[in-house]
């Protein structure tokens, strides 16, 4: 049932407690009142019980209410939880444990899981929307693999303290490098002092005027913003090409606009869904370092797991032939997690190889795609290398 108003306008100088928050209507609310004042939900339920058609925006309004009230206690106010974070936390351990029950279930789950992830990627990529699903999946995968390593592999006695320290150090360094990558790709600001380009753009001189004050004549400049191409201003072809109508700025060479982040990035390479951020001039090195640290830690951890659950098999062939591994649930879970980590490692290794090839050709991923789209480049080595001509050297 619908209760009285459970929220009130926030006081300007009154701090929020850990369970309070300001809702989407600008009112102060509490986590304990999450089920109060639900007019949108009440109207949707009434129409459903009366078998009346729902309004066009009723479901969207209910989803907005649920999204606004799904929060966790935090310092100086409850923090909102993105719904896209939740599915990996539930589906990943459930699917891996189901895959550990039988060999055929493992094949089915490990085949369907990458397909579901790719399908969701293409859905979100087509809509150009931001989601925390992939970042949550990446972080939780790393945390869950480390948890299985501590609870299932370490008690078997086949892993020493030095090996445990190496794996732990690799996980910590990967997280630190990821945090450094998330600091920012290098956003292009509209202020001229923030532009680091060595190219000078020439425009018309500013207008001047004379102002008489206290019997003296002073000359002043009339400030004007750069006009977009096609509206005067004497801009050349390079300015028309580099003008961003969304941000309203002239982009330096090799910069690009990301429609997902809605910002222009210096030397934009691509938008990486796994870190929920763009990869640009400021974080490209740390992004490559994150990939290298993760791959090194993953490969080392997989080798330790396979040596523990398949001691009689060579590490290179243990993934494909390990007799008796499904006789115990513990060894089956470790083996399944090793296969899952191997799939993730192969995908990220492919990404790292592409990045290194692009760097060797002095080209970014965005420039390679533009060259293929505008038919200014050629694809070589079955798409691994894109010769962009002069795009990479501008």
């Amino acid at each position: 049932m619908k209760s009285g108003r459970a929220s009130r306008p926030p006081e300007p100088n009154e701090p929020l407690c850990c369970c309070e928050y300001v809702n989407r209507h600008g009112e102060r609310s509490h986590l304990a009142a999450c089920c109060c004042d639900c007019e949108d939900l009440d109207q949707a339920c009434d129409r459903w019980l009366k078998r009346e058609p729902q309004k066009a925006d009723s479901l969207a309004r209910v989803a907005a209410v649920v999204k606004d009230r799904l929060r966790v206690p935090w310092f100086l106010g409850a923090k909102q939880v993105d719904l896209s974070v939740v599915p990996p936390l539930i589906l990943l351990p459930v699917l891996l444990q189901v895959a550990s029950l039988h060999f055929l279930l493992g094949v089915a789950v490990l085949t369907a899981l990458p397909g579901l992830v790719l399908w969701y990627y293409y859905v979100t990529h087509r809509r150009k929307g931001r989601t925390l699903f992939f970042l949550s999946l990446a972080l939780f995968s790393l945390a869950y693999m480390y948890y299985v390593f501590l609870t299932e592999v370490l008690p078997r006695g086949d892993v020493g303290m030095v090996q445990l320290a190496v794996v732990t150090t690799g996980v910590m360094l990967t997280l630190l490098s990821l945090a450094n990558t998330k600091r920012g790709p290098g956003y292009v600001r509209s202020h001229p002092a923030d532009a680091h380009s060595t190219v000078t753009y020439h425009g018309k001189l500013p207008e001047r005027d004379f102002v008489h004050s206290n019997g003296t004549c002073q000359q002043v400049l009339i400030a004007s913003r750069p006009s977009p191409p096609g509206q005067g201003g004497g801009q050349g072809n390079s300015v028309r090409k580099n003008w961003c109508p969304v941000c309203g700025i002239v982009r330096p060479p090799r910069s690009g606009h990301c429609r997902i982040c809605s910002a222009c990035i210096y030397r934009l390479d691509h938008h990486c869904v796994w870190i929920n951020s763009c990869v640009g001039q400021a974080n490209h090195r740390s992004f490559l370092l994150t990939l290298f640290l993760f791959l090194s830690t993953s490969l080392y951890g997989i080798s330790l797991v396979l040596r523990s659950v398949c001691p009689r098999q060579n590490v290179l062939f243990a993934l494909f032939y390990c007799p008796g591994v499904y006789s115990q649930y513990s060894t089956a879970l470790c083996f399944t997690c090793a296969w899952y980590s191997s799939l993730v490692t192969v995908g990220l290794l492919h990404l790292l190889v592409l990045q290194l090839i692009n760097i060797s050709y002095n080209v970014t991923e965005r420039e390679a795609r533009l060259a293929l789209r505008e038919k200014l480049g050629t694809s070589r080595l079955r798409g691994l290398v894109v010769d962009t001509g002069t795009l990479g050297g501008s």
Side-chain angles (χ1 to χ4, degrees):
M1 295 180 61
K2 183 170 59 178
S3 63
R5 299 294 295 181
S7 56
R8 56 187 176 86
E11 298 293 336
N13 297 325
E14 185 178 356
L16 297 174
C17 75
C18 62
C19 296
E20 290 183 320
Y21 64 96
V22 178
N23 60 21
R24 60 193 181 101
H25 300 296
E27 299 171 334
R28 193 186 187 111
S29 187
H30 198 276
L31 292 178
C34 62
C35 298
C36 301
D37 192 22
C38 301
E39 291 92 347
D40 296 327
L41 183 60
D42 291 340
Q43 292 178 4
C45 292
D46 290 341
R47 288 181 173 273
W48 180 73
L49 293 175
K50 295 178 181 179
R51 296 183 179 181
E52 296 179 356
Q54 297 287 344
K55 295 182 179 180
D57 60 339
S58 60
L59 295 180
R61 294 172 62 180
V62 171
V65 172
V66 174
K67 183 178 180 181
D68 183 52
R69 299 187 180 186
L70 186 62
R71 297 173 181 264
V72 294
W74 200 254
F75 301 101
L76 301 178
K79 294 295 184 180
Q80 188 174 3
V81 177
D82 196 307
L83 293 177
S84 60
V85 177
V86 180
L89 307 182
I90 301 176
L91 293 179
L92 183 63
V94 171
L95 292 178
L96 291 180
Q97 292 181 14
V98 170
S100 304
L101 298 177
H102 195 270
F103 169 74
L104 295 180
L105 288 176
V107 173
V109 169
L110 294 177
T111 303
L113 187 58
L116 291 176
V117 173
L118 290 176
W119 171 80
Y120 187 73
Y121 167 76
Y122 283 115
V123 170
T124 55
H125 185 71
R126 188 181 308 161
R127 296 178 180 177
K128 301 299 180 183
R130 303 196 69 170
T131 176
L132 293 176
F133 174 84
F134 299 99
L135 178 61
S136 173
L137 179 61
L139 292 176
F140 188 66
S141 297
L142 184 63
Y144 188 71
M145 295 303 106
Y146 185 69
Y147 168 78
V148 172
F149 185 82
L150 293 179
T151 57
E152 301 292 343
V153 180
L154 188 62
R156 298 174 62 88
D158 299 323
V159 177
M161 298 306 298
V162 176
Q163 296 168 323
L164 175 62
V166 172
V167 174
T168 304
T169 303
V171 172
M172 294 296 105
L173 290 178
T174 302
L175 294 177
L176 290 176
S177 181
L178 177 61
N180 188 34
T181 306
K182 291 282 294 178
R183 294 177 62 182
Y187 297 101
V188 180
R189 306 299 182 182
S190 58
H191 196 277
D194 295 331
H196 302 287
S197 174
T198 58
V199 178
T200 303
Y201 298 97
H202 299 280
K204 67 177 182 179
L205 295 177
E207 299 180 3
R208 301 173 182 269
D209 196 3
F210 295 92
V211 176
H212 296 273
S213 177
N214 298 328
T216 61
C217 181
Q218 299 178 353
Q219 185 180 12
V220 297
L221 298 179
I222 301 177
S224 60
R225 296 182 59 185
S227 57
Q231 299 182 7
Q235 304 290 346
N237 293 329
S238 60
V239 178
R240 293 191 185 94
K241 183 179 180 181
N242 295 327
W243 173 262
C244 179
V246 179
C247 300
I249 58 176
V250 178
R251 295 190 299 258
R254 307 193 73 179
S255 301
H257 181 83
C258 177
R259 289 181 291 178
I260 299 178
C261 296
S262 188
C264 289
I265 312 296
Y266 285 107
R267 199 171 156 273
L268 175 63
D269 188 85
H270 70 285
H271 181 91
C272 183
V273 295
W274 297 106
I275 64 174
N276 193 33
S277 176
C278 285
V279 177
Q281 178 176 308
N283 64 348
H284 203 169
R285 293 181 179 178
S286 58
F287 175 73
L288 296 176
L289 180 61
T290 303
L291 290 178
F292 176 77
L293 290 173
F294 177 84
L295 291 174
S296 302
T297 306
S298 179
L299 290 174
Y300 185 68
I302 292 172
S303 65
L304 293 178
V305 172
L306 293 179
R307 288 175 183 175
S308 177
V309 299
C310 303
R312 298 181 180 180
Q313 300 294 327
N314 187 283
V315 177
L316 298 178
F317 303 101
L319 277 175
F320 304 98
Y321 182 72
C322 185
V325 70
Y326 284 93
S327 60
Q328 297 181 2
Y329 179 78
S330 175
T331 57
L333 179 61
C334 295
F335 186 74
T336 304
C337 291
W339 254 109
Y340 174 76
S341 300
S342 300
L343 295 176
V344 176
T345 301
V346 169
L348 293 183
L349 180 61
H350 176 263
L351 175 60
L352 180 60
V353 170
L354 289 181
Q355 288 287 308
L356 295 179
I357 292 176
N358 289 338
I359 292 175
S360 65
Y361 278 80
N362 189 26
V363 66
T364 63
E365 181 67 22
R366 171 180 171 271
E367 292 167 346
R369 293 179 181 178
L370 286 177
L372 291 178
R373 185 185 309 169
E374 299 175 1
K375 298 181 179 180
L376 299 176
T378 56
S379 179
R380 300 178 180 176
L381 297 180
R382 296 185 178 182
L384 287 178
V385 179
V386 177
D387 187 3
T388 59
T390 58
L391 278 178
S394 61

